[in-house]
Amino acid sequence: MLRYALTRLALLLLGLVVASALIFLTLRVLPGDVAQLIAGVNSTPEQIEGIRQRLGLNEPLLTQYLTWMGGVVRGDLGVSLLTGAPVGGELAQKARVTIPLGLLAMTVALVIALPFGVVSALRRGHRDGTLLSVGAQTLAAVPVVWAGMMLVLVFAVWLGWLPAQGFPRGGWDDPGLAFRSLLLPAITIGVIEGAMLMRFVRSATLQATGQDFVRTAAAKGLTRTQALLRHGLPNVGLSIITVLGLQVAGIIVGAVVIEQLFSLPGIGRMLVADVGQRDLPKVQGELLVLTGFVLVVGFLVDLLHRVIDPRQREAE
């Protein structure tokens, strides 16, 4: 187990290095001149060149990359070109919105997917099972922006139960108000992700009902539902954990869009603004953190599989 964990950790670090290089090079080929943007439209060529010298933009790309990565290793993601504020500090502040939003969205997705997916499988061939399956397929195809607008129309405009946009100025000083501000955006992401996950839960449950150990348990006196819940779902859980790990990326992408729609001061909204302003150090740091988060989740999912499934440990 230790050797496997060290191997996966090495692959994680390699993935981070490759991702950082791709992020760095991709941002450098974007059109526009950062020095010109900072200096303004009325700047002289001498002023622009001075800014380039000060920021090290005239250095070779490899030197710039190694300088950036050296800072990352020390925990320094650099400073904003436009504001001079540390990138890490701004990311930590915005993460207080994005991380709770993601966790809440994942909770909503699980609450939808697990019970309805199992019921849809157990009721296959019945009207309610068919309706659940069709509903999941329909919701999975709905654009997240449209879903957010409809939820705002119903729960914010018509019913007035939840705020339509914004986040408290005091942040989590008022937990109740902050939670209510995130609830509608989280439901928007969670419903779409939950519909996609529900389809997988249904498929995995149907597969489990055909396994020999489930049929054997049913033959010993258990009902099909009891046999599935007692013996089938623990095996289905491994597959569900894998899909949940993959859906983290979908939730991050959804957060970028939803934070714009609901005017939430999170990492996604900051990323969109920084890309438009060509604040390269901030964009680099934001993309690296988001990419690293996805890779770390994949690493943890792999380790969790080894812990839960003894067959994988025996195969070593």
Short mmCIF file of all heavy atoms in Angstrom, two decimals, residues 174-223:
data_model
loop_
_atom_site.label_atom_id
_atom_site.label_comp_id
_atom_site.label_asym_id
_atom_site.label_seq_id
_atom_site.Cartn_x
_atom_site.Cartn_y
_atom_site.Cartn_z
N ASP A 174 -22.13 36.39 9.20
CA ASP A 174 -23.52 35.97 9.38
C ASP A 174 -23.71 34.66 8.62
O ASP A 174 -24.05 34.67 7.43
CB ASP A 174 -24.47 37.05 8.84
CG ASP A 174 -25.93 36.75 9.15
OD1 ASP A 174 -26.25 35.58 9.47
OD2 ASP A 174 -26.77 37.67 9.06
N PRO A 175 -23.47 33.51 9.27
CA PRO A 175 -23.50 32.23 8.56
C PRO A 175 -24.84 31.95 7.88
O PRO A 175 -24.88 31.38 6.79
CB PRO A 175 -23.21 31.20 9.66
CG PRO A 175 -22.51 31.97 10.73
CD PRO A 175 -23.10 33.33 10.69
N GLY A 176 -25.94 32.32 8.53
CA GLY A 176 -27.24 32.05 7.95
C GLY A 176 -27.46 32.78 6.65
O GLY A 176 -27.92 32.19 5.66
N LEU A 177 -27.11 34.06 6.61
CA LEU A 177 -27.28 34.84 5.40
C LEU A 177 -26.33 34.37 4.31
O LEU A 177 -26.71 34.29 3.13
CB LEU A 177 -27.03 36.33 5.70
CG LEU A 177 -27.24 37.31 4.54
CD1 LEU A 177 -28.67 37.20 4.01
CD2 LEU A 177 -26.94 38.74 4.99
N ALA A 178 -25.10 34.02 4.68
CA ALA A 178 -24.14 33.51 3.70
C ALA A 178 -24.62 32.18 3.11
O ALA A 178 -24.52 31.96 1.90
CB ALA A 178 -22.76 33.35 4.35
N PHE A 179 -25.15 31.32 3.96
CA PHE A 179 -25.66 30.03 3.48
C PHE A 179 -26.82 30.22 2.51
O PHE A 179 -26.89 29.56 1.46
CB PHE A 179 -26.09 29.17 4.67
CG PHE A 179 -26.66 27.85 4.29
CD1 PHE A 179 -25.84 26.78 3.97
CD2 PHE A 179 -28.04 27.66 4.26
CE1 PHE A 179 -26.37 25.55 3.61
CE2 PHE A 179 -28.58 26.43 3.91
CZ PHE A 179 -27.75 25.38 3.59
N ARG A 180 -27.74 31.12 2.83
CA ARG A 180 -28.87 31.38 1.95
C ARG A 180 -28.41 31.94 0.61
O ARG A 180 -29.00 31.65 -0.44
CB ARG A 180 -29.85 32.34 2.61
CG ARG A 180 -30.59 31.77 3.81
CD ARG A 180 -31.60 32.75 4.40
NE ARG A 180 -32.74 32.93 3.51
CZ ARG A 180 -33.02 34.03 2.85
NH1 ARG A 180 -32.20 35.08 2.94
NH2 ARG A 180 -34.09 34.13 2.09
N SER A 181 -27.33 32.72 0.61
CA SER A 181 -26.82 33.28 -0.64
C SER A 181 -26.23 32.20 -1.54
O SER A 181 -26.24 32.34 -2.77
CB SER A 181 -25.76 34.35 -0.34
OG SER A 181 -26.30 35.40 0.41
N LEU A 182 -25.69 31.14 -0.94
CA LEU A 182 -25.07 30.07 -1.72
C LEU A 182 -26.05 28.96 -2.07
O LEU A 182 -25.75 28.13 -2.94
CB LEU A 182 -23.91 29.45 -0.93
CG LEU A 182 -22.68 30.33 -0.69
CD1 LEU A 182 -21.62 29.55 0.08
CD2 LEU A 182 -22.10 30.84 -2.00
N LEU A 183 -27.21 28.92 -1.43
CA LEU A 183 -28.11 27.79 -1.59
C LEU A 183 -28.64 27.69 -3.02
O LEU A 183 -28.60 26.61 -3.63
CB LEU A 183 -29.27 27.91 -0.61
CG LEU A 183 -30.18 26.68 -0.49
CD1 LEU A 183 -29.36 25.45 -0.13
CD2 LEU A 183 -31.25 26.93 0.57
N LEU A 184 -29.11 28.77 -3.60
CA LEU A 184 -29.66 28.72 -4.95
C LEU A 184 -28.58 28.40 -5.99
O LEU A 184 -28.82 27.57 -6.88
CB LEU A 184 -30.36 30.05 -5.27
CG LEU A 184 -31.41 30.02 -6.39
CD1 LEU A 184 -32.44 28.95 -6.15
CD2 LEU A 184 -32.09 31.39 -6.50
N PRO A 185 -27.40 29.03 -5.94
CA PRO A 185 -26.33 28.62 -6.87
C PRO A 185 -25.94 27.15 -6.71
O PRO A 185 -25.69 26.46 -7.70
CB PRO A 185 -25.17 29.55 -6.51
CG PRO A 185 -25.79 30.71 -5.85
CD PRO A 185 -27.00 30.20 -5.14
N ALA A 186 -25.87 26.67 -5.47
CA ALA A 186 -25.49 25.27 -5.24
C ALA A 186 -26.55 24.32 -5.78
O ALA A 186 -26.22 23.27 -6.35
CB ALA A 186 -25.27 25.03 -3.75
N ILE A 187 -27.81 24.66 -5.62
CA ILE A 187 -28.88 23.83 -6.16
C ILE A 187 -28.79 23.79 -7.68
O ILE A 187 -29.00 22.74 -8.31
CB ILE A 187 -30.26 24.35 -5.70
CG1 ILE A 187 -30.42 24.13 -4.19
CG2 ILE A 187 -31.38 23.65 -6.45
CD1 ILE A 187 -31.69 24.72 -3.62
N THR A 188 -28.46 24.92 -8.29
CA THR A 188 -28.35 24.98 -9.75
C THR A 188 -27.30 24.00 -10.25
O THR A 188 -27.53 23.23 -11.19
CB THR A 188 -27.99 26.40 -10.19
OG1 THR A 188 -28.98 27.33 -9.72
CG2 THR A 188 -27.91 26.49 -11.71
N ILE A 189 -26.11 24.02 -9.63
CA ILE A 189 -25.05 23.10 -10.04
C ILE A 189 -25.41 21.67 -9.63
O ILE A 189 -25.25 20.72 -10.41
CB ILE A 189 -23.71 23.50 -9.40
CG1 ILE A 189 -23.32 24.91 -9.80
CG2 ILE A 189 -22.61 22.52 -9.80
CD1 ILE A 189 -22.09 25.43 -9.09
N GLY A 190 -25.91 21.51 -8.41
CA GLY A 190 -26.18 20.17 -7.88
C GLY A 190 -27.25 19.42 -8.64
O GLY A 190 -27.16 18.20 -8.80
N VAL A 191 -28.27 20.13 -9.12
CA VAL A 191 -29.34 19.45 -9.86
C VAL A 191 -28.80 18.88 -11.16
O VAL A 191 -29.10 17.72 -11.52
CB VAL A 191 -30.49 20.44 -10.14
CG1 VAL A 191 -31.44 19.89 -11.19
CG2 VAL A 191 -31.26 20.71 -8.85
N ILE A 192 -27.99 19.65 -11.89
CA ILE A 192 -27.45 19.17 -13.16
C ILE A 192 -26.46 18.03 -12.93
O ILE A 192 -26.53 16.98 -13.58
CB ILE A 192 -26.76 20.32 -13.92
CG1 ILE A 192 -27.73 21.49 -14.11
CG2 ILE A 192 -26.24 19.83 -15.26
CD1 ILE A 192 -28.97 21.16 -14.89
N GLU A 193 -25.53 18.22 -11.99
CA GLU A 193 -24.56 17.17 -11.70
C GLU A 193 -25.24 15.94 -11.10
O GLU A 193 -24.85 14.80 -11.38
CB GLU A 193 -23.49 17.69 -10.74
CG GLU A 193 -22.62 18.81 -11.30
CD GLU A 193 -21.76 18.34 -12.47
OE1 GLU A 193 -21.34 17.17 -12.46
OE2 GLU A 193 -21.52 19.15 -13.38
N GLY A 194 -26.26 16.16 -10.28
CA GLY A 194 -26.98 15.05 -9.68
C GLY A 194 -27.72 14.22 -10.72
O GLY A 194 -27.80 13.00 -10.60
N ALA A 195 -28.27 14.89 -11.75
CA ALA A 195 -28.96 14.16 -12.81
C ALA A 195 -27.99 13.27 -13.57
O ALA A 195 -28.31 12.12 -13.90
CB ALA A 195 -29.64 15.14 -13.76
N MET A 196 -26.79 13.79 -13.85
CA MET A 196 -25.79 12.98 -14.55
C MET A 196 -25.32 11.82 -13.67
O MET A 196 -25.15 10.68 -14.14
CB MET A 196 -24.61 13.85 -14.98
CG MET A 196 -24.98 14.86 -16.07
SD MET A 196 -23.56 15.75 -16.74
CE MET A 196 -23.24 16.88 -15.38
N LEU A 197 -25.12 12.09 -12.39
CA LEU A 197 -24.68 11.03 -11.47
C LEU A 197 -25.78 9.99 -11.27
O LEU A 197 -25.50 8.80 -11.13
CB LEU A 197 -24.27 11.64 -10.13
CG LEU A 197 -23.77 10.68 -9.06
CD1 LEU A 197 -22.54 9.93 -9.55
CD2 LEU A 197 -23.45 11.44 -7.77
N MET A 198 -27.03 10.45 -11.26
CA MET A 198 -28.15 9.52 -11.07
C MET A 198 -28.20 8.48 -12.18
O MET A 198 -28.48 7.30 -11.93
CB MET A 198 -29.46 10.32 -11.04
CG MET A 198 -30.70 9.45 -10.96
SD MET A 198 -32.20 10.44 -11.05
CE MET A 198 -33.38 9.18 -11.53
N ARG A 199 -27.91 8.88 -13.40
CA ARG A 199 -27.90 7.93 -14.51
C ARG A 199 -26.84 6.85 -14.29
O ARG A 199 -27.07 5.67 -14.58
CB ARG A 199 -27.66 8.66 -15.83
CG ARG A 199 -28.75 9.64 -16.20
CD ARG A 199 -28.34 10.54 -17.35
NE ARG A 199 -28.06 9.76 -18.55
CZ ARG A 199 -27.50 10.27 -19.64
NH1 ARG A 199 -27.17 11.55 -19.68
NH2 ARG A 199 -27.29 9.50 -20.69
N PHE A 200 -25.70 7.25 -13.77
CA PHE A 200 -24.65 6.27 -13.50
C PHE A 200 -25.03 5.36 -12.34
O PHE A 200 -24.78 4.14 -12.39
CB PHE A 200 -23.33 6.98 -13.20
CG PHE A 200 -22.21 6.03 -12.95
CD1 PHE A 200 -21.48 5.48 -13.99
CD2 PHE A 200 -21.88 5.66 -11.65
CE1 PHE A 200 -20.46 4.58 -13.76
CE2 PHE A 200 -20.86 4.77 -11.40
CZ PHE A 200 -20.13 4.22 -12.46
N VAL A 201 -25.63 5.94 -11.28
CA VAL A 201 -26.05 5.12 -10.15
C VAL A 201 -27.08 4.09 -10.60
O VAL A 201 -27.04 2.92 -10.18
CB VAL A 201 -26.63 6.01 -9.03
CG1 VAL A 201 -27.26 5.17 -7.93
CG2 VAL A 201 -25.54 6.90 -8.45
N ARG A 202 -27.99 4.49 -11.45
CA ARG A 202 -28.99 3.56 -11.97
C ARG A 202 -28.32 2.42 -12.73
O ARG A 202 -28.65 1.24 -12.53
CB ARG A 202 -29.97 4.30 -12.88
CG ARG A 202 -31.06 3.41 -13.48
CD ARG A 202 -31.97 4.21 -14.39
NE ARG A 202 -33.06 3.39 -14.90
CZ ARG A 202 -32.98 2.62 -15.98
NH1 ARG A 202 -31.84 2.57 -16.67
NH2 ARG A 202 -34.02 1.90 -16.38
N SER A 203 -27.38 2.77 -13.61
CA SER A 203 -26.69 1.74 -14.40
C SER A 203 -25.90 0.80 -13.51
O SER A 203 -25.93 -0.43 -13.70
CB SER A 203 -25.77 2.41 -15.42
OG SER A 203 -25.03 1.46 -16.15
N ALA A 204 -25.18 1.37 -12.52
CA ALA A 204 -24.38 0.53 -11.62
C ALA A 204 -25.27 -0.37 -10.77
O ALA A 204 -24.93 -1.52 -10.48
CB ALA A 204 -23.50 1.41 -10.74
N THR A 205 -26.43 0.16 -10.36
CA THR A 205 -27.35 -0.64 -9.55
C THR A 205 -27.93 -1.79 -10.36
O THR A 205 -28.06 -2.93 -9.87
CB THR A 205 -28.48 0.24 -9.01
OG1 THR A 205 -27.93 1.32 -8.25
CG2 THR A 205 -29.40 -0.57 -8.10
N LEU A 206 -28.29 -1.52 -11.60
CA LEU A 206 -28.80 -2.58 -12.47
C LEU A 206 -27.75 -3.67 -12.68
O LEU A 206 -28.07 -4.87 -12.70
CB LEU A 206 -29.23 -2.00 -13.82
CG LEU A 206 -30.51 -1.17 -13.82
CD1 LEU A 206 -30.73 -0.52 -15.19
CD2 LEU A 206 -31.71 -2.02 -13.45
N GLN A 207 -26.51 -3.25 -12.83
CA GLN A 207 -25.43 -4.22 -13.00
C GLN A 207 -25.26 -5.07 -11.74
O GLN A 207 -25.03 -6.28 -11.82
CB GLN A 207 -24.13 -3.51 -13.34
CG GLN A 207 -22.97 -4.45 -13.63
CD GLN A 207 -21.70 -3.69 -14.00
OE1 GLN A 207 -21.67 -2.46 -14.00
NE2 GLN A 207 -20.66 -4.42 -14.32
N ALA A 208 -25.39 -4.42 -10.57
CA ALA A 208 -25.22 -5.15 -9.32
C ALA A 208 -26.33 -6.17 -9.10
O ALA A 208 -26.10 -7.25 -8.54
CB ALA A 208 -25.18 -4.17 -8.15
N THR A 209 -27.54 -5.87 -9.55
CA THR A 209 -28.65 -6.80 -9.33
C THR A 209 -28.46 -8.10 -10.11
O THR A 209 -29.06 -9.13 -9.76
CB THR A 209 -29.98 -6.15 -9.78
OG1 THR A 209 -29.89 -5.74 -11.15
CG2 THR A 209 -30.33 -4.97 -8.91
N GLY A 210 -27.61 -8.07 -11.13
CA GLY A 210 -27.36 -9.28 -11.90
C GLY A 210 -26.19 -10.10 -11.42
O GLY A 210 -25.87 -11.14 -12.00
N GLN A 211 -25.53 -9.63 -10.37
CA GLN A 211 -24.37 -10.36 -9.85
C GLN A 211 -24.80 -11.63 -9.10
O GLN A 211 -25.88 -11.70 -8.51
CB GLN A 211 -23.55 -9.47 -8.91
CG GLN A 211 -22.96 -8.24 -9.59
CD GLN A 211 -21.95 -8.61 -10.66
OE1 GLN A 211 -21.15 -9.55 -10.48
NE2 GLN A 211 -21.97 -7.88 -11.78
N ASP A 212 -23.91 -12.62 -9.12
CA ASP A 212 -24.23 -13.90 -8.49
C ASP A 212 -24.49 -13.77 -7.00
O ASP A 212 -25.40 -14.43 -6.46
CB ASP A 212 -23.09 -14.90 -8.73
CG ASP A 212 -22.98 -15.30 -10.20
OD1 ASP A 212 -23.99 -15.16 -10.92
OD2 ASP A 212 -21.88 -15.74 -10.61
N PHE A 213 -23.70 -12.93 -6.32
CA PHE A 213 -23.86 -12.86 -4.86
C PHE A 213 -25.20 -12.23 -4.48
O PHE A 213 -25.76 -12.54 -3.42
CB PHE A 213 -22.70 -12.10 -4.21
CG PHE A 213 -22.46 -10.73 -4.75
CD1 PHE A 213 -23.19 -9.64 -4.33
CD2 PHE A 213 -21.47 -10.52 -5.71
CE1 PHE A 213 -22.96 -8.37 -4.82
CE2 PHE A 213 -21.22 -9.26 -6.22
CZ PHE A 213 -21.97 -8.18 -5.77
N VAL A 214 -25.73 -11.34 -5.32
CA VAL A 214 -27.04 -10.76 -5.05
C VAL A 214 -28.13 -11.81 -5.28
O VAL A 214 -29.07 -11.95 -4.47
CB VAL A 214 -27.28 -9.52 -5.92
CG1 VAL A 214 -28.71 -9.00 -5.73
CG2 VAL A 214 -26.29 -8.43 -5.57
N ARG A 215 -28.01 -12.58 -6.36
CA ARG A 215 -29.00 -13.63 -6.62
C ARG A 215 -28.94 -14.71 -5.55
O ARG A 215 -29.99 -15.25 -5.13
CB ARG A 215 -28.75 -14.23 -8.00
CG ARG A 215 -29.10 -13.28 -9.15
CD ARG A 215 -29.24 -14.06 -10.44
NE ARG A 215 -27.96 -14.66 -10.84
CZ ARG A 215 -27.12 -14.10 -11.71
NH1 ARG A 215 -27.42 -12.92 -12.24
NH2 ARG A 215 -26.00 -14.70 -12.04
N THR A 216 -27.74 -15.01 -5.07
CA THR A 216 -27.61 -16.02 -4.02
C THR A 216 -28.27 -15.55 -2.74
O THR A 216 -28.97 -16.31 -2.06
CB THR A 216 -26.13 -16.33 -3.76
OG1 THR A 216 -25.53 -16.81 -4.97
CG2 THR A 216 -25.97 -17.37 -2.66
N ALA A 217 -28.05 -14.27 -2.39
CA ALA A 217 -28.66 -13.73 -1.19
C ALA A 217 -30.18 -13.73 -1.30
O ALA A 217 -30.89 -14.02 -0.33
CB ALA A 217 -28.15 -12.30 -0.94
N ALA A 218 -30.67 -13.43 -2.51
CA ALA A 218 -32.12 -13.45 -2.71
C ALA A 218 -32.66 -14.88 -2.59
O ALA A 218 -33.76 -15.11 -2.06
CB ALA A 218 -32.47 -12.85 -4.07
N ALA A 219 -31.88 -15.84 -3.07
CA ALA A 219 -32.31 -17.24 -3.00
C ALA A 219 -32.35 -17.73 -1.55
O ALA A 219 -33.08 -18.68 -1.24
CB ALA A 219 -31.37 -18.11 -3.82
N LYS A 220 -31.60 -17.12 -0.65
CA LYS A 220 -31.58 -17.53 0.75
C LYS A 220 -32.71 -16.90 1.57
O LYS A 220 -32.74 -17.06 2.79
CB LYS A 220 -30.23 -17.18 1.37
CG LYS A 220 -29.09 -18.04 0.82
CD LYS A 220 -27.77 -17.68 1.50
CE LYS A 220 -26.64 -18.58 1.01
NZ LYS A 220 -25.34 -18.24 1.65
N GLY A 221 -33.56 -16.13 0.92
CA GLY A 221 -34.72 -15.60 1.63
C GLY A 221 -34.83 -14.09 1.66
O GLY A 221 -35.87 -13.56 2.07
N LEU A 222 -33.81 -13.39 1.25
CA LEU A 222 -33.88 -11.93 1.21
C LEU A 222 -34.67 -11.48 -0.01
O LEU A 222 -34.66 -12.14 -1.06
CB LEU A 222 -32.48 -11.31 1.16
CG LEU A 222 -31.57 -11.54 2.37
CD1 LEU A 222 -30.21 -10.87 2.13
CD2 LEU A 222 -32.19 -11.00 3.64
N THR A 223 -35.36 -10.38 0.12
CA THR A 223 -36.01 -9.79 -1.05
C THR A 223 -34.92 -9.20 -1.95
O THR A 223 -33.77 -9.03 -1.54
CB THR A 223 -36.99 -8.68 -0.65
OG1 THR A 223 -36.26 -7.60 -0.05
CG2 THR A 223 -38.02 -9.21 0.34
#
